[in-house]
């Protein structure tokens, strides 16, 4: 039953949030209904536990008994057999793409959903367009529609919907694209643990993390929709990696191969680039596989090197997963306690009733709480890991400049595409600017049979588009 504003204000007062009760006093009817909507997002039943996590967090530490996980490399697996297995699933239409695109993209500082960010090196195609072209290529290759589920948040849902419609979903049948809106969580004052307000009639809310996907997929009916359509697995990708192979048949084959995997949760990894790389790392514990955040390692652990000269904790998470629909349904059914909350200390603008105005802090003042998908790994029976080449599959755009920026991503995209052309016997200048559309090639071998020049120089950018060769 929906709670009235009065009920919700009683709950707020019982949890010591009197500033919200006071703010409600000056509101008109519309404001009161907006405030009720906002307050209904607060998990009041878990208040004590969440408040304690905000003001008195447990010390972060990696699990005490952990060892490097077993991961398959492309050299170890029977790539042809696994690819055939994965292709069979794709021919049946049993795999959908699920893109998580509900984040705030704070580090990038782009005004709009991250998926609308221009990402390719020369033509500046958006991140959404790149994924759409990869899906379109798969549709024509496998002769099956591929459903594309995209997670959005309250903040970017409408802009995402409009962008995709304005661009006719970049050639994908509109009825095959479904947006799934994730949940929102309140931001807390980092010192007092009080809820921050964004206005007298609104709490400061932010998306509940990519781990909010299970509840969002369930709540929106997407899980039922998938079952109905014969979709058995989803290929989980993030929006901000233009090199991500959204449907990789070999990885799908590995996920479905019962010798290596229980087929519920599989992940791709790359070797960690260096000891200070800010990336989560897969570890094996006695109670299952986990991802440990870089910030939980101390310096010596992060830098530990094994007898083989490699970093011990090297299985870097690039957030590319395969999950079975039934696994996601179970995780959603397990409810709110299934995944832990993680804290993020961030600068959040807030409405200050005493000043009657907004305050924009220039240092982190708030705690946001998020859930992470990889915490569901502990629910998986035998998760499989596939180690892939970073240069081929990972060029994320996270930051406005420096590492993992549009600039570094473009350089990586161009280096890969130069390499593909060279493998196809084209002479390519080291400084040549090159971009190859996913509609032409997603793998080096896709260039076989494509008419190509003998040489690509640095004099003019070289773009290989569908129909341009
Ligand atoms: P990030 O952790 O990089 O977060 O998300 P972000 O929100 O994009 O960027 P910052 O941290 O604010 O700078 C990794 C992926 O997970 C999605 C993002 O859209 C991105 O594809 N994500 C993240 C969600 O879908 N929802 C969330 O609540 C958080």
């Amino acid at each position: 039953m929906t709670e009235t504003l009065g009920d919700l204000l009683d709950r707020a007062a019982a949890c010591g949030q009197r500033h919200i009760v006071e703010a409600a006093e000056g509101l008109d009817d519309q404001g009161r209904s907006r405030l009720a909507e906002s307050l209904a997002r607060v998990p009041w039943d878990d208040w004590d536990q969440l408040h304690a996590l905000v003001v008195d967090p447990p010390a972060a530490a990696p699990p005490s008994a952990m060892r490097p996980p077993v991961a398959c490399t492309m050299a170890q697996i029977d790539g042809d057999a696994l690819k055939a297995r994965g292709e069979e699933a794709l021919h049946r239409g049993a795999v959908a793409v699920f893109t998580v695109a509900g984040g705030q993209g704070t580090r990038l500082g782009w005004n709009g959903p991250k998926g609308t960010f221009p990402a390719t090196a020369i033509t500046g195609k958006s991140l959404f367009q790149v994924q759409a072209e990869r899906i379109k290529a798969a549709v024509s290759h496998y002769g099956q529609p591929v459903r594309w589920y995209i997670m959005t948040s309250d903040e970017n849902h409408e802009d995402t919907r409009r962008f995709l419609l304005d661009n006719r979903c970049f050639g994908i049948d509109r009825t095959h694209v479904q947006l799934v809106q994730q949940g929102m969580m309140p931001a807390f004052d980092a010192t007092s643990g009080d809820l921050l307000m964004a206005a007298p009639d609104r709490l400061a809310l932010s998306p509940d993390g990519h781990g909010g996907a299970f509840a969002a997929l369930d709540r929106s009916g997407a899980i039922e929709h998938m079952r109905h359509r014969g979709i058995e697995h989803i290929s989980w990708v993030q929006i901000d990696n233009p090199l991500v192979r959204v449907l990789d048949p070999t990885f799908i084959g590995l996920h479905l191969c019962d010798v290596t995997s229980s087929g519920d949760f599989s992940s791709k990894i790359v070797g960690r680039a260096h000891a200070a790389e800010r990336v989560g790392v897969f570890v094996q514990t006695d109670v299952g596989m986990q991802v440990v955040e870089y910030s939980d390692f101390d310096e010596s652990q992060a830098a530990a090197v094994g007898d083989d000269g490699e970093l011990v904790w090297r299985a870097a998470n690039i957030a590319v997963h395969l999950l079975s629909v039934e696994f996601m349904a179970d995780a959603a059914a397990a409810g709110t306690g299934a995944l832990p909350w993680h804290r993020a200390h961030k600068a959040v603008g807030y409405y200050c009733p005493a000043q009657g105005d907004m305050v924009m802090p220039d240092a982190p003042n708030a705690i946001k709480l998020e859930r992470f998908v990889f915490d569901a790994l502990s629910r998986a029976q035998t998760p499989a890991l596939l180690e892939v080449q970073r240069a081929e599959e990972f060029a994320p755009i996270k930051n406005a400049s420096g590492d993992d920026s549009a600039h570094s991503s473009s350089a990586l995209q161009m280096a890969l595409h130069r390499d593909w052309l060279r493998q196809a016997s084209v002479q390519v200048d080291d400084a040549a600017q090159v971009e190859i559309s996913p509609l032409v090639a997603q793998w080096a071998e896709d260039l076989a049979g494509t008419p190509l020049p003998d040489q690509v120089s640095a004099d003019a950018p070289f773009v290989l588009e569908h129909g341009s060769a």
Side-chain angles (χ1 to χ4, degrees):
M1 200 179 69
T2 324
E3 287 179 289
T4 64
L5 179 61
D7 297 335
L8 291 162
L9 289 174
D10 286 348
R11 277 177 174 264
C15 295
Q17 303 304 292
R18 285 223 51 91
H19 60 295
I20 301 175
V21 180
E22 281 154 25
E25 280 160 12
L27 296 177
D28 60 16
D29 285 351
Q30 274 185 350
R32 289 171 67 79
S33 95
R34 274 195 296 269
L35 184 61
E37 215 175 285
S38 218
L39 289 175
R41 305 298 192 100
V42 180
W44 294 108
D45 291 340
D46 303 333
W47 176 264
D48 289 344
Q49 181 204 338
L50 296 179
H51 192 260
L53 180 63
V54 170
V55 293
D56 188 18
S64 51
M66 59 176 188
R67 51 193 185 278
V70 176
C72 303
T73 62
M74 292 302 287
Q76 288 164 343
I77 59 174
D78 182 348
D80 290 343
L82 293 180
K83 185 174 176 191
R85 180 92 188 257
E87 292 198 314
E88 183 275 327
L90 289 165
H91 278 301
R92 281 193 293 119
V95 187
V97 175
F98 180 57
T99 302
V100 287
Q104 296 177 298
T106 350
R107 288 168 287 170
L108 186 59
W110 172 246
N111 186 15
K114 221 184 208 182
T116 65
F117 186 81
T120 63
I122 299 170
T123 62
K125 286 177 191 169
S126 65
L127 286 159
F128 277 132
Q129 180 169 359
V130 176
Q131 292 203 355
E133 289 191 359
R134 291 183 184 277
I135 292 171
K136 217 174 140 191
V139 172
S140 69
H141 191 83
Y142 297 110
Q144 268 291 337
V146 173
R147 308 279 157 176
W148 189 15
Y149 298 85
I150 301 173
M151 189 160 83
T152 58
S153 71
D154 282 15
E155 282 174 9
N156 68 14
H157 180 83
E158 197 41 44
D159 288 346
T160 300
R161 198 184 69 85
R162 180 73 14 239
F163 182 77
L164 291 171
L165 285 181
D166 286 351
N167 289 287
R168 297 168 188 270
C169 295
F170 299 101
I172 298 197
D173 185 330
R174 201 184 133 167
T175 62
H176 296 167
V177 181
Q178 185 172 330
L179 303 190
V180 175
Q181 223 166 322
Q182 70 177 108
M184 302 291 281
M185 273 294 276
F188 299 79
D189 180 280
T191 318
S192 65
D194 284 343
L195 294 173
L196 291 175
M197 304 198 75
D201 59 0
R202 258 179 315 124
L203 294 178
L205 297 169
S206 48
D208 60 357
H210 43 63
F214 300 129
L217 285 165
D218 189 37
R219 202 175 40 234
S220 65
I223 287 193
E224 231 8 80
H225 184 261
M226 288 176 187
R227 286 178 174 142
H228 214 69
R229 306 264 163 207
I231 295 163
E232 295 161 10
H233 301 272
I234 55 116
S235 174
W236 171 296
V237 293
Q238 300 195 339
I239 190 57
D240 51 19
N241 175 13
L243 286 187
V244 73
R245 294 173 168 175
V246 297
L247 288 166
D248 178 348
T250 309
F251 181 39
I252 295 169
L254 182 82
H255 173 71
L256 296 177
C257 168
D258 46 21
V259 179
T260 43
S261 148
S262 46
D264 38 20
F265 195 146
S266 304
S267 304
K268 283 189 176 179
I269 57 163
V270 298
R272 197 150 54 97
H274 51 81
E277 192 184 13
R278 296 158 71 90
V279 64
V281 175
F282 284 87
V283 304
Q284 186 68 48
T285 74
D286 291 340
V287 289
M289 204 181 276
Q290 288 183 23
V291 171
V292 176
E293 290 182 78
Y294 59 85
S295 48
D296 289 358
F297 280 114
D298 65 33
E299 238 174 81
S300 67
Q301 274 172 322
V305 172
D307 293 341
D308 56 1
E310 302 265 20
L311 290 168
V312 174
W313 309 112
R314 63 184 299 278
N317 177 24
I318 54 169
V320 179
H321 312 289
L322 285 160
L323 292 133
S324 78
V325 172
E326 293 317 313
F327 177 82
M328 296 194 298
D330 285 350
T336 53
L339 300 181
W341 290 106
H342 295 259
R343 311 161 84 246
H345 197 193
K346 297 269 167 92
V348 173
Y350 64 98
Y351 173 77
C352 171
Q355 294 179 24
D357 209 353
M358 287 297 287
V359 178
M360 301 306 290
D362 43 24
N365 62 315
I367 301 293
K368 293 186 191 176
L369 297 178
E370 292 190 331
R371 287 193 163 117
F372 297 155
V373 61
F374 48 74
D375 284 325
L377 266 172
S378 59
R379 307 177 61 83
Q381 243 173 41
T382 315
L385 297 183
L386 179 64
E387 178 164 355
V388 296
Q389 295 303 311
R390 176 185 284 262
E392 290 179 354
E393 309 203 15
F394 192 50
I397 300 178
K398 300 273 183 198
N399 302 313
S401 59
D403 286 348
D404 297 344
S405 63
H407 186 75
S408 66
S409 177
S410 287
L412 290 166
Q413 293 172 52
M414 286 202 287
L416 180 66
H417 292 169
R418 282 195 293 267
D419 184 49
W420 287 0
L421 290 171
R422 288 184 182 126
Q423 288 183 48
S425 306
V426 179
Q427 280 206 334
V428 186
D429 280 3
D430 286 346
Q433 292 187 46
V434 177
E435 179 179 320
I436 300 175
S437 161
L439 291 169
V440 177
Q442 302 206 58
W443 277 263
E445 52 271 30
D446 292 345
L447 287 183
T450 303
L452 296 170
D454 295 334
Q455 200 178 359
V456 172
S457 76
D459 297 342
F462 176 75
V463 178
L464 204 50
E465 263 303 346
H466 191 50
S468 72

